Amino acid sequence: MLRTFRIGGIHPPENKLSAGKKITALAAPKQVIIPLSQHIGAPAQAVVKKGDPVKVGTLVAKAGGFVSANIHSSVSGKVNKIDHALDSSGYKRPAIYIDVEGDEWEETIDRSDALVKDCTLSSKEIVDKIAAAGIVGLGGATFPTQVKLMPPPGSKAEIIIINAVECEPYLTSDHSLMMEKGEQILVGVTLLMKAVNVNKAVIGIENNKPDAIAHLTKLAAAYPGIEIMPLKVQYPQGGEKQLIDAVIRRQVKSGALPISAGAVVQNVGTAYAVYEAVQKNKPLFERVVTVTGKAVANPSNFLVRMGTPINMLIEAAGGIPENTGKIIGGGPMMGKALVSAEVPVTKGSSGVLLLTKEESVRKPMQDCIRCAKCVNVCPMGLNPAFLMKFTVYKDWEKAEAGYIQDCIECGSCSYTCPANRPLLDQIRLGKGKVMGIIRARKS
């Protein structure tokens, strides 16, 4: 029997319209806009100025703290300015504007397709190369990878778990990467194993990707310690705590990190980026992005340089359909509506979803009927109806007592609510307020 996590979960329509589509490299634009905050933690600090020449892979911003990440140029050309630019949430953030001139790469980057399996580097040297390359979690959370690979004192990793479930509807960037870069991903997993000194890794893949399961299972026979584990299709299995529960049957306590269960979880795209960083000296300046939607002419998986405007991806997929109601950054469950199609691709851009006007319209909210459907599907075992009520009435003490800070913002509650209540919207607001109170109390 296929495994899955044991608390809550839903199965929305998968709509994997771009499944089976080959990864297509998108040409660089005339100008890129590279935000200095493409990760959880402190923004990076610019190390270039107006007029500076850069190449593909040149360091343009250094990590601004322990939890931060380096940022590199995705193009060659000249720095036009350092200014502010709209991000996906609609706020103006510091960014580096680079005018593109040619396509000259840093000489240290190995651009050959030859697979490099052997690595003589120590654990620390591997982590240092990952940090230098600016690798972050590519599943959407964008947590700096090197931090995850340095467990706090008293903690020890027992297993690497690779998140290849891609449970979010519509998105297929990870699926396409597994089919085309399977061997490189497995080398990346061995590097992650060496980085944290473990001899076991499990790649969890949902059972709706039988081709990826078969492909990686065949390749993994040559990589000791790596197991491919098919999982039952269940959203949100891509959540760290849910994946740990599914794979090793351990629960992560409230407020605790995955390392407390002996696990280090990394996205499959991150494993590939680690291979490129360590074995090819290639920083993270491009990634695979799915562009999709029921009205999109050509749903696709594109290899895109960071800083490329989203509208270029949409044009390459056939343009914006006339009946488009919303453009979502990410998938339909955890993604957020973009304020503009001109915002740039960042390290956390896994997909672009174009919803039709019919799909975009919210149904009128009704009174809660206490059906408890939201409670039954919550993968964290919370009571979303009560947490929304506490937020509306600004009862932050009860919201904290109800563990609102544990919400993973998966949207299962809103999806299943028969009264069309904006549960996730309100819980997000309340969670932000409560976490601010907790931080203030600790300081």
Side-chain angles (χ1 to χ4, degrees):
M1 186 174 176
L2 292 174
R3 292 189 183 191
T4 189
F5 56 98
R6 293 168 289 179
I7 300 174
I10 58 175
H11 189 179
E14 294 168 18
N15 292 319
K16 303 285 189 177
L17 308 176
S18 51
K21 295 289 186 73
K22 294 280 188 183
I23 298 171
T24 304
L26 207 62
K30 293 180 180 179
Q31 184 185 71
V32 293
I33 302 172
I34 300 181
L36 296 181
S37 186
Q38 299 187 41
H39 46 264
I40 284 178
Q45 303 297 313
V47 295
V48 293
K49 60 184 184 301
K50 181 178 179 178
D52 282 355
V54 296
K55 298 178 182 178
V56 177
T58 299
L59 180 71
V60 294
K62 278 192 173 182
F66 178 68
V67 181
S68 188
N70 289 341
I71 295 174
H72 300 78
S73 175
S74 60
V75 295
S76 63
K78 280 188 179 179
V79 176
N80 179 288
K81 60 179 176 177
I82 299 174
D83 202 345
H84 288 75
L86 281 178
D87 67 4
S88 58
S89 60
Y91 291 99
K92 285 197 169 186
R93 311 282 190 194
I96 300 172
Y97 291 68
I98 301 174
D99 293 331
V100 179
E101 300 172 4
D103 194 34
E104 187 179 356
W105 291 45
E106 289 285 352
E107 291 78 7
T108 52
I109 300 173
D110 179 0
R111 299 182 65 184
S112 72
D113 291 330
L115 181 72
V116 182
K117 292 180 69 172
D118 297 330
C119 178
T120 58
L121 300 178
S122 67
S123 299
K124 183 181 183 304
E125 287 171 332
I126 290 172
V127 174
D128 287 346
K129 287 197 80 168
I130 289 169
I135 309 297
V136 301
L138 296 183
T142 65
F143 194 84
T145 300
Q146 77 274 8
V147 180
K148 273 193 180 183
L149 300 177
M150 294 185 287
S155 301
K156 188 181 186 310
E158 300 171 30
I159 186 173
I160 288 282
I161 299 177
I162 301 298
N163 176 5
V165 299
E166 199 162 45
C167 60
E168 182 84 42
Y170 286 96
L171 303 187
T172 61
S173 55
D174 287 348
H175 188 178
S176 63
L177 197 61
M178 286 187 279
M179 294 305 298
E180 297 188 35
K181 303 293 182 181
E183 194 108 40
Q184 292 90 333
I185 288 168
L186 292 173
V187 175
V189 175
T190 64
L191 294 170
L192 289 167
M193 292 165 66
K194 188 173 183 180
V196 292
N197 299 304
V198 299
N199 55 17
K200 181 173 176 59
V202 173
I203 302 178
I205 310 176
E206 286 193 332
N207 207 37
N208 58 357
K209 307 173 189 65
D211 52 352
I213 293 170
H215 180 55
L216 289 189
T217 300
K218 183 179 178 181
L219 293 175
Y223 293 84
I226 299 179
E227 176 189 353
I228 310 302
M229 182 180 288
L231 298 169
K232 180 182 176 183
V233 179
Q234 184 91 323
Y235 178 86
Q237 198 148 229
E240 280 190 324
K241 294 182 178 181
Q242 286 66 43
L243 189 56
I244 290 169
D245 184 23
V247 172
I248 60 174
R249 284 293 185 262
R250 294 181 188 174
Q251 297 278 349
V252 179
K253 294 180 181 178
S254 173
L257 297 170
I259 192 66
S260 66
V264 173
V265 182
Q266 298 286 357
N267 178 264
V268 68
T270 307
Y272 177 65
V274 165
Y275 164 80
E276 293 206 301
V278 178
Q279 303 294 72
K280 297 287 188 175
N281 294 313
K282 182 182 175 184
L284 179 59
F285 56 75
E286 61 183 359
R287 66 158 298 155
V288 180
V289 181
T290 299
V291 182
T292 185
K294 292 179 180 177
V296 172
N298 182 29
S300 304
N301 301 301
F302 294 117
L303 180 64
V304 188
R305 310 276 183 108
M306 307 303 177
T308 302
I310 293 288
N311 54 20
M312 273 192 66
L313 283 69
I314 297 172
E315 284 302 313
I320 298 180
E322 286 185 12
N323 64 337
T324 298
K326 279 185 182 177
I327 301 175
I328 307 292
M333 298 301 296
M334 296 187 74
K336 296 178 181 177
L338 300 177
V339 296
S340 167
E342 295 180 3
V343 299
V345 170
T346 63
K347 295 178 182 182
S349 301
S350 56
V352 179
L353 171 61
L354 283 75
L355 296 179
T356 63
K357 290 177 181 176
E358 294 75 23
E359 294 171 307
S360 304
V361 175
R362 288 198 182 200
K363 296 177 182 177
M365 182 181 77
Q366 300 172 15
D367 291 339
C368 174
I369 58 173
R370 300 282 181 112
C371 66
K373 284 187 176 181
C374 61
V375 179
N376 292 335
V377 301
C378 178
M380 296 303 294
L382 307 177
N383 188 325
F386 279 18
L387 294 179
M388 175 177 170
K389 182 178 75 171
F390 298 149
T391 298
V392 169
Y393 288 102
K394 296 181 171 56
D395 194 336
W396 309 126
E397 192 173 321
K398 284 186 179 178
E400 183 178 352
Y403 296 97
I404 194 171
Q405 64 273 20
D406 284 353
C407 172
I408 63 171
E409 304 181 24
C410 68
S412 296
C413 53
S414 293
Y415 178 83
T416 199
C417 178
N420 307 312
R421 297 180 68 77
L423 295 162
L424 176 57
D425 294 9
Q426 291 292 342
I427 291 170
R428 269 183 178 145
L429 291 171
K431 177 183 172 182
K433 181 66 177 179
V434 168
M435 291 185 75
I437 292 170
I438 292 172
R439 283 193 297 270
R441 188 165 63 225
K442 286 181 178 179
S443 64

